[in-house]
Amino acid sequence: MDLSVIGTIIAVILTLMVYSYLIGDNPLYRLAQNIFVGVSIGYITLVVIYNVIVPFIGRALQDRPWLERVLPVLALLLGALLWYKAVRPRNVFANAVLAIIVTTGAALGLGGTLVGTLLPQLQATMLPFSSDIGSIISNIVIIVGVIVSLGYFYFTAKPDGTRTVTAGYVATAGRWFMMVAFGTLFGFAVTSFFALLADRIRFLISPGS
Amino acid sequence: MADDYREEEIIVPLRCPNCGGLNPPENKVCQLCGFRLTGATPVSPPGVDVVRSGDPSASPPAPSPVTNIAPAAPSIAPASAPPTPNSPAGRGSSLAARLGGAGSAAPPPAEWLGDLRRNIGGDAPAVNDQPLPPPPPPTIAAYPSPAARSAGGGFSVSQPDDQVGYVAPPTPSTSPYRREDLPRPNSEPVDWLASLRASSSLSPEAEQDAPDEEEESPPVAVPDWLHRMRAESAASAAVTAGEDDVNDAPPWLTDEVAEDTGPLDRADSVGKPVPDLHPWLHEGTVTRGSDGATQTDVPPSAAQAINLPPWLQQPPEPAPPAPPDFSDLFTNRPAANVAAAGQAPPSTTTLGSSGGFLEDSDAPAWLREVAAAQPPPMPQAMTAMASPAAAEAAAATEAGSPEITESDALDQDDVSAAPPAWLSPPASDGEDAVETALPDESEAVSPADEAPDQEQAEVSEATPTTPAASEVVSTTPPIATASGEDLPPWLRVVGGESAASMGDSAMPTPVVAAAATPTTASFFPTGNAEDNTVPDWLRGIGRESQDGSPASAEALTAAVAEPVQHIQRVMTVRSPRPGAAEALAALVAAPSASTRTSPLELKDERKVSASVMRWLLSERGIYLLTALVMVVVVLADRVGGLQPLAVTSPAANAQVDSFYKTINNLETQSGAPVLVAYDWDANRQAEMAPLARAITCHLGAINARFATVSLSPTGPAFAQQVALATVDSKTPCTTRRYQYGSDYVNLGYSAGGDFALRSMVGSIATVFSNDYVNGNPLFGAGGVPALKGIKSLGDFKLIIVLEGDESTARSWVEQVASQPNTPPLLLGEPAALDPSLQPYLAVAAPTRFVGKVAGLSDVARYQYDLTAKGLNMAKTDLSFNLNALSFAALLIALLIIIGNIVFIARLVNRRK
């Protein structure tokens, strides 16, 4: 028997076991869940070993300039120092490596967020009102939505514990905007899950396709 | 011996768990509420008053049927153990406190009982010589055990002994109610009867047989008159013919003793099966017939005729063999011997009037005074009923022979005015009389044919009757209710009938005694002695007591009645609820619960239905319903009969069109390198796999070489799978089959996320050195041809990002698109990420995604464009998935509409 056929049969069985959760939590569902987790971890481990670690070691052993050979070794050494966190969480070497990772990631993320997210978002709210009426209305809605949504998180109040009526209205409008946004997110998420369900149903009906 | 005798009189009423009322230990059901008393908590034996049938108050009827009990605060015998709320003593104390009032300050009965013991031991005559202490209030009549009653204990209100000149003031150290002195159920029973037998043997042989016990008994100074009483008793017992058994007690008594191992066995045997008839009906109702045999005073017919409550009308037990007659014991035997006879003497028997120890000069003066008192005249009916011996006794009574109740003689502590002569037993009748006259419980309740029904009813009414009545404490003074105005109707009827039948007889009003336990207060109708309801014989006793007894009867009654008026709390006695027994029988006869639907089952059914509805209307149920709809649609689509939403002309989408055009523009640049990022996992396969296949086919159609990279560990596998399914298959979607390494290459997975992307912007070689499939070097002399001329991301002409995660897509924008000299980016995403990644579309800023395909609908549009270009995209099965998704979306929309309608309807109804 072809391995693909065996694999398809196993996939059908596991799919049915997973969808048995529609009836209720049961051992079959949990078994399939555990199998999925185990297979995923095993696969990822192999991928990391053969696609990350081994090439790094091979790169150090290749006939390359000494800097290109030392850097992979240094990277492996720093990575090995992270194991101290498992034994001694306050180990200075592990903290040093972790500090390198955090600071580098923070710097990289700050630059990328500022340039790639914050400024483009600010630029996206500065929409023109010069195009067609539909775009104008759309841009107005976007701008108002951004303002009132930010106004919802404006928690400053007067000394007597109250805030202005305008702030209340803004907060209420912002809450409604966020509710619409969250509903949209949920709707799209459900659509994605339904697409996956449809794909699985199709797979169960015609596994070979 | 006296201690044992006392202890035997301890009764343990049962407290009803339902209403809290006190019930006799023999009761199976509560006499107040009808609740079953099985497992009921017995009330403290020490805390409850001790009652002896020998009390003079027990035999004559009380003038008042209501105020028949405990006219004043009860005297509670203290227990040796400290009373606690849960302990019997504590409960008894609490009972005393509830009933108490003035009586709560009375000296503990244990003290006077202790003194009583000492007096019996050798100083009894001195009791009369001592000045009477202040009269303590009478005690509540506790219901005696059958054994106690048969031994002379009756159901009555114990009068303070010192008030009637019986006992000396108490001493606390000689309490007969010490728990450790009482026989315990699980321990070896105390041979209290043996001591009785030893001290009160019926024959000299018996005395010889039990010398050790007397030797072992504590040296108690027995007065001479008591010795003589014992000797006389022994002499009379020696006459007994055919008495082989040398034991003191007759067989019936030994049997009973064997059953009751101690005085408190009655208390311990709570919950055991008891005879149907209340034991208190067994004793006290026994009178001596004309032939000297014991007769039952209460014929059932009479009891029924007087419309007694149902619990009084229980059928009697079959009569057992006639017990021996102890009449001689009552008449000639010393009190000690009679007491040794155990439970034999009935309460209505009296000591013989023909001399005996009462005439002895050594007899106590108080006893002789009582004996000298004028007995009440015997009713004519009773006289006719009585046997010759009884007639003699009656004659002796009329002659003024002093009579003392049997138990008085037994106790040596309860001497009071003599009961009427009609209650007196005949003179010495010999052993036969003893055998036949012995009170037997079953016989006591058997119909007595010797006497007329009316007379029997009257006599029975003259005996202590209901235990419930014994616990009645009325705020009404006894004298005030002597007329019976406060009686229940049925008692009035009885009283009227009795009065009518008795005529001018001096028989006490049966009404008075029927519902009440005679109390000392009612026994001495002092203040209202001229009342017509008080019989003459009772008035005579009162006068005699006033004249001859150490305590004035009137003063005694006044002292007794006074506390009664202070009692505020009334333990009302209710008659059994009408139809209670029938209702119980109906319940028993009703079908079992299994044959009918109980409310619990109905509740369970409702729970099941509610749980089913909850499950169906829950998220899980909606998913299941949607899945069913999808199955139907896919099956219909597969069969070919249903293609309502086939991808024929999907709606135009600017982002999709931009996406398509951007790729299609590379057609002019043959062999343009394109980087495709597979950053999605299996959970996005339904949406991303068709898109990936369409993109790969499109790249093959424009003859572009491409490399795949992944920031997700599972990405490289999907990338390879898609390539093998489209361009690198035997039947590719393009005009030619792509070759791995030369036309496309799989770079594999790169760890690090943002770091890897930023590194690839600078140099791909720092991140990837070998390909994913073969592990061959990517760069250098032996590098793959697909990456020819590629060193960084800027060398690619196009980057297509297939994202399944928002953060990774943002990383592509932040770390790659924002950098200069980077190619344009296209975004392929599932529908779930579309709202989140919408701001990263290059509507106004060119450094973001220039096009996107989100979800199956966009994929359909994209495939429509590819189909229009001439590509064969039929194998993507997008139509099946899209049709199923469309029906599912319609179903969800329908459910949302229904849910909103229901919500609005409920809201409207709620506002209405």
Side-chain angles (χ1 to χ4, degrees):
Chain A
M1 183 181 291
D2 192 1
L3 292 179
S4 61
V5 176
I6 297 175
T8 302
I9 294 173
I10 294 175
V12 169
I13 293 174
L14 290 177
T15 302
L16 293 176
M17 291 169 65
V18 170
Y19 280 111
S20 66
Y21 187 75
L22 290 173
I23 302 174
D25 194 3
N26 58 85
L28 293 178
Y29 167 75
R30 294 193 175 187
L31 177 62
Q33 190 180 37
N34 293 334
I35 290 174
F36 175 76
V37 172
V39 170
S40 299
I41 291 177
Y43 176 77
I44 292 172
T45 302
L46 291 177
V47 168
V48 169
I49 290 175
Y50 287 101
N51 211 20
V52 177
I53 298 177
V54 171
F56 252 82
I57 296 175
R59 197 178 307 167
L61 298 177
Q62 289 176 356
D63 186 12
R64 292 187 176 188
W66 66 273
L67 184 59
E68 294 183 1
R69 298 174 61 179
V70 170
L71 286 179
V73 175
L74 181 60
L76 290 175
L77 180 60
L78 294 177
L81 291 178
L82 283 177
W83 288 96
Y84 270 108
K85 297 293 290 184
V87 181
R88 295 180 180 179
R90 296 183 179 181
N91 184 269
V92 61
F93 299 104
N95 289 336
V97 175
L98 195 60
I100 293 173
I101 294 174
V102 170
T103 53
T104 306
L108 191 63
L110 181 60
T113 301
L114 182 63
V115 177
T117 301
L118 185 58
L119 293 179
Q121 290 284 26
L122 292 175
Q123 188 179 358
T125 54
M126 300 175 185
L127 300 175
F129 293 149
S130 58
S131 58
D132 58 298
I133 185 65
S135 297
I136 293 175
I137 295 176
S138 176
N139 293 339
I140 292 175
V141 170
I142 291 175
I143 293 171
V144 171
V146 171
I147 294 173
V148 297
S149 297
L150 292 175
Y152 176 80
F153 297 96
Y154 179 74
F155 301 114
T156 304
K158 293 187 292 187
D160 59 353
T162 61
R163 58 182 181 178
T164 60
V165 178
T166 303
Y169 287 136
V170 169
T172 303
R175 186 169 66 249
W176 277 102
F177 266 91
M178 286 188 291
M179 289 175 62
V180 171
F182 294 150
T184 304
L185 289 174
F186 179 74
F188 276 95
V190 171
T191 303
S192 295
F193 294 143
F194 280 166
L196 185 59
L197 177 62
D199 182 71
R200 287 296 91 189
I201 291 174
R202 183 194 56 80
F203 171 75
L204 292 175
I205 292 176
S206 57
S209 62
Chain B
M1 180 174 63
D3 289 348
D4 297 74
Y5 184 70
R6 288 286 179 181
E7 291 170 357
E8 188 178 1
E9 294 173 349
I10 296 173
I11 63 167
V12 184
L14 293 176
R15 185 178 298 279
C16 177
N18 184 31
C19 63
L22 298 179
N23 295 271
E26 295 81 9
N27 273 18
K28 292 179 179 178
V29 297
C30 179
Q31 59 190 359
L32 302 179
C33 63
F35 192 81
R36 188 162 186 162
L37 293 177
T38 301
T41 303
V43 184
S44 164
V48 180
D49 198 2
V50 178
V51 180
R52 293 173 295 277
S53 64
D55 288 345
S57 59
S59 53
S64 172
V66 178
T67 60
N68 48 8
I69 310 296
S75 64
I76 306 301
S80 59
T84 59
N86 294 328
S87 66
R91 288 193 293 270
S93 301
S94 62
L95 174 63
R98 289 165 52 189
L99 300 175
S104 59
E111 298 178 359
W112 58 266
L113 288 175
D115 289 344
L116 172 63
R117 272 206 254 39
R118 288 196 300 273
N119 294 333
I120 293 174
D123 202 15
V127 174
N128 286 333
D129 299 335
Q130 295 176 356
L132 288 176
T139 58
I140 290 180
Y143 195 71
S145 64
R149 290 193 301 275
S150 61
F155 189 78
S156 66
V157 173
S158 64
Q159 177 68 22
D161 297 354
D162 49 359
Q163 185 170 351
V164 293
Y166 293 152
V167 296
T171 55
S173 60
T174 58
S175 171
Y177 300 95
R178 289 179 299 180
R179 180 64 66 181
E180 57 271 13
D181 296 334
L182 301 177
R184 291 173 171 79
N186 297 330
S187 62
E188 184 178 359
V190 178
D191 194 3
W192 55 277
L193 191 59
S195 61
L196 289 175
R197 289 195 299 269
S199 59
S200 61
S201 59
L202 297 177
S203 62
E205 291 81 1
E207 292 184 356
Q208 293 175 1
D209 292 341
D212 297 339
E213 296 181 357
E214 290 204 353
E215 291 176 3
E216 293 175 1
S217 61
V220 177
V222 179
D224 295 337
W225 60 272
L226 198 55
H227 280 294
R228 277 192 290 276
M229 291 173 62
R230 184 177 304 176
E232 290 176 5
S233 175
S236 61
V239 182
T240 303
E243 187 72 17
D244 297 335
D245 189 1
V246 296
N247 290 335
D248 309 277
W252 64 270
L253 184 58
T254 56
D255 294 340
E256 186 168 358
V257 169
E259 295 176 359
D260 293 335
T261 56
L264 291 182
D265 278 351
R266 177 65 60 182
D268 297 332
S269 62
V270 172
K272 295 179 180 179
V274 296
D276 295 335
L277 194 62
H278 294 282
W280 58 270
L281 282 176
H282 297 184
E283 74 88 13
T285 61
V286 177
T287 58
R288 194 170 303 282
S290 58
D291 53 354
T294 304
Q295 295 180 354
T296 302
D297 297 330
V298 185
S301 58
Q304 297 173 359
I306 60 179
N307 193 19
L308 288 176
W311 54 270
L312 279 177
Q313 299 176 3
Q314 298 179 7
E317 291 183 356
D325 192 352
F326 283 165
S327 58
D328 57 340
L329 299 178
F330 306 147
T331 55
N332 299 326
R333 189 181 300 173
N337 289 346
V338 177
Q343 302 91 352
S347 61
T348 55
T349 57
T350 60
L351 291 176
S353 60
S354 59
F357 73 92
L358 292 180
E359 297 178 2
D360 195 289
S361 60
D362 293 338
W366 55 274
L367 198 57
R368 277 180 274 133
E369 290 176 1
V370 172
Q374 178 66 30
M378 184 175 181
Q380 296 297 329
M382 293 303 298
T383 305
M385 176 188 67
S387 62
E392 294 177 4
T397 302
E398 293 177 358
S401 299
E403 289 190 34
I404 300 175
T405 56
E406 162 207 343
S407 56
D408 294 337
L410 296 176
D411 295 340
Q412 295 293 321
D413 57 357
D414 293 334
V415 179
S416 65
W422 54 273
L423 289 176
S424 302
S428 175
D429 295 333
E431 185 60 23
D432 295 337
V434 170
E435 292 180 357
T436 55
L438 243 177
D440 185 84
E441 293 185 356
S442 57
E443 184 179 353
V445 297
S446 63
D449 299 330
E450 294 82 2
D453 294 342
Q454 184 62 38
E455 294 175 358
Q456 292 173 359
E458 293 167 357
V459 173
S460 66
E461 291 163 357
T463 59
T465 54
T466 68
S470 68
E471 298 174 0
V472 171
V473 178
S474 174
T475 56
T476 307
I479 304 305
T481 58
S483 61
E485 295 177 357
D486 297 334
L487 290 177
W490 62 274
L491 282 179
R492 293 175 187 165
V493 172
V494 173
E497 293 176 357
S498 302
S501 62
M502 295 300 295
D504 294 335
S505 174
M507 187 69 183
T509 303
V511 175
V512 175
T517 299
T519 63
T520 306
S522 60
F523 185 72
F524 296 103
T526 58
N528 201 6
E530 297 301 325
D531 193 318
N532 294 331
T533 59
V534 181
D536 296 334
W537 61 272
L538 195 56
R539 298 196 191 99
I541 291 176
R543 288 191 295 272
E544 291 163 5
S545 298
Q546 187 176 7
D547 296 337
S549 63
S552 173
E554 293 183 1
L556 174 62
T557 305
V560 169
E562 182 178 0
V564 173
Q565 300 176 0
H566 295 292
I567 296 176
Q568 297 300 327
R569 174 155 185 166
V570 179
M571 296 178 62
T572 58
V573 177
R574 296 180 304 178
S575 60
R577 295 175 180 174
E582 290 77 4
L584 180 60
L587 289 176
V588 172
S592 60
S594 59
T595 59
R596 60 191 179 190
T597 303
S598 64
L600 185 60
E601 293 176 347
L602 292 175
K603 188 177 181 180
D604 292 340
E605 291 179 357
R606 285 195 294 267
K607 282 185 176 179
V608 170
S609 60
S611 61
V612 170
M613 290 302 297
R614 196 180 306 113
W615 188 88
L616 290 176
L617 296 178
S618 65
E619 182 180 342
R620 191 175 301 167
I622 293 174
Y623 287 162
L624 182 62
L625 180 62
T626 307
L628 292 176
V629 171
M630 289 183 175
V631 168
V632 172
V633 172
V634 171
L635 284 175
D637 202 1
R638 182 65 65 180
V639 171
L642 179 63
Q643 286 189 349
L645 295 177
V647 184
T648 55
S649 178
N653 190 311
Q655 293 293 333
V656 175
D657 293 341
S658 174
F659 189 95
Y660 172 79
K661 291 178 180 177
T662 303
I663 296 176
N664 206 33
N665 291 335
L666 297 176
E667 188 175 9
T668 58
Q669 304 176 11
S670 178
V674 177
L675 180 66
V676 181
Y678 284 80
D679 295 336
W680 48 275
D681 291 329
N683 58 346
R684 304 294 187 185
Q685 186 183 6
E687 296 176 282
M688 301 306 296
L691 178 60
R693 284 194 289 266
I695 292 174
T696 304
C697 288
H698 195 185
L699 293 177
I702 61 174
N703 197 21
R705 53 187 177 106
F706 62 92
T708 61
V709 67
S710 178
L711 299 179
S712 172
T714 56
F718 286 116
Q720 193 63 25
Q721 183 182 10
V722 168
L724 293 176
T726 53
V727 296
D728 195 6
S729 64
K730 295 180 180 179
T731 56
C733 58
T734 57
T735 56
R736 70 177 182 95
R737 181 178 179 178
Y738 269 50
Q739 298 295 323
Y740 181 79
S742 59
D743 296 325
Y744 74 98
V745 65
N746 191 344
L747 301 180
Y749 166 71
S750 173
D754 290 353
F755 297 98
L757 292 177
R758 195 60 177 265
S759 298
M760 284 191 293
V761 170
S763 174
I764 297 177
T766 58
V767 180
F768 298 102
S769 58
N770 299 93
D771 71 301
Y772 171 78
V773 177
N774 300 323
N776 296 327
L778 296 175
F779 303 97
V784 294
L787 295 178
K788 185 180 179 181
I790 302 299
K791 293 184 179 179
S792 64
L793 292 180
D795 297 332
F796 289 100
K797 299 298 181 180
L798 182 65
I799 298 176
I800 304 173
V801 178
L802 304 178
E803 286 296 334
D805 185 68
E806 178 187 353
S807 61
T808 309
R810 192 167 56 243
S811 297
W812 276 101
V813 172
E814 292 177 352
Q815 303 299 330
V816 177
S818 60
Q819 300 299 319
N821 301 323
T822 54
L825 274 68
L826 297 177
L827 176 63
E829 58 180 353
L833 298 183
D834 190 26
S836 301
L837 296 179
Q838 193 73 22
Y840 294 95
L841 296 178
V843 177
T847 58
R848 285 171 287 183
F849 297 111
V850 295
K852 59 115 180 157
V853 176
L856 287 180
S857 58
D858 289 353
V859 173
R861 177 64 188 180
Y862 182 61
Q863 285 190 358
Y864 175 80
D865 294 339
L866 292 179
T867 304
K869 187 177 177 62
L871 298 178
N872 184 14
M873 304 299 297
K875 293 183 180 179
T876 57
D877 290 328
L878 179 62
S879 60
F880 300 108
N881 296 345
L882 192 59
N883 286 337
L885 181 62
S886 300
F887 274 95
L890 288 177
L891 176 63
I892 294 300
L894 182 63
L895 292 177
I896 290 174
I897 293 173
I898 293 175
N900 281 276
I901 291 175
V902 171
F903 173 76
I904 294 172
R906 288 183 178 179
L907 189 63
V908 170
N909 292 333
R910 195 177 304 167
R911 290 183 178 179
K912 287 181 179 179

